[in-house]
Amino acid sequence: MLDKATALPSLLLKLDKLPPGHALDLRTYKRNRSVLIRRVGEDSFAVTEDGFFREDFRVPFSGLKKLLKTLLKREFPRSTKIRVYDLGAACGEDLPTGRKVI
């Protein structure tokens, strides 16, 4: 779990080191809203927002900081902690949807 105030720099560092085809899943403390970030190329990321809004984005690494800042404010407005799951190598059908159950 990451503190929301310091999450953006550490997420960008993790995403920079993420190999193509791997994904990170960002969830609220209650695990009912998520932002899924998958690296699809050397400099290309597919971002799926699933919470208050359901949208898909495809951005280069240079535009990822601005998009994540917007999505963190929109999807996690009152959260102070963000859960980060490393999904490893996953294609579109293997990615989780809905509420994550532990």
Side-chain angles (χ1 to χ4, degrees):
M1 289 187 28
L2 294 175
D3 189 37
K4 185 175 143 183
T6 60
L8 194 58
S10 60
L11 283 174
L12 289 174
L13 187 63
K14 282 184 181 184
L15 290 170
D16 191 31
K17 296 178 182 178
L18 198 68
H22 287 234
L24 287 181
D25 189 12
L26 311 177
R27 300 243 172 196
T28 59
Y29 182 76
K30 291 171 34 178
R31 295 183 216 97
N32 58 351
R33 293 186 301 277
S34 71
V35 174
L36 185 73
I37 308 164
R38 187 166 41 104
R39 188 170 203 152
V40 293
E42 286 300 316
D43 191 42
S44 179
F45 291 87
V47 181
T48 304
E49 176 186 12
D50 184 18
F52 291 121
F53 300 96
R54 293 179 184 257
E55 292 186 48
D56 294 319
F57 306 95
R58 196 178 227 20
V59 293
F61 186 75
S62 60
L64 199 58
K65 182 177 180 178
K66 183 176 180 179
L67 178 65
L68 280 179
K69 190 173 182 180
T70 303
L71 292 179
L72 288 177
K73 284 183 180 179
R74 186 163 55 184
E75 288 300 324
F76 311 125
R78 294 185 310 260
S79 299
T80 58
K81 298 286 185 182
I82 297 172
R83 296 180 188 266
V84 179
Y85 298 101
D86 187 359
L87 301 178
C91 62
E93 296 82 32
D94 297 338
L95 297 175
T97 57
R99 187 179 172 117
K100 186 171 180 76
V101 179
I102 296 190

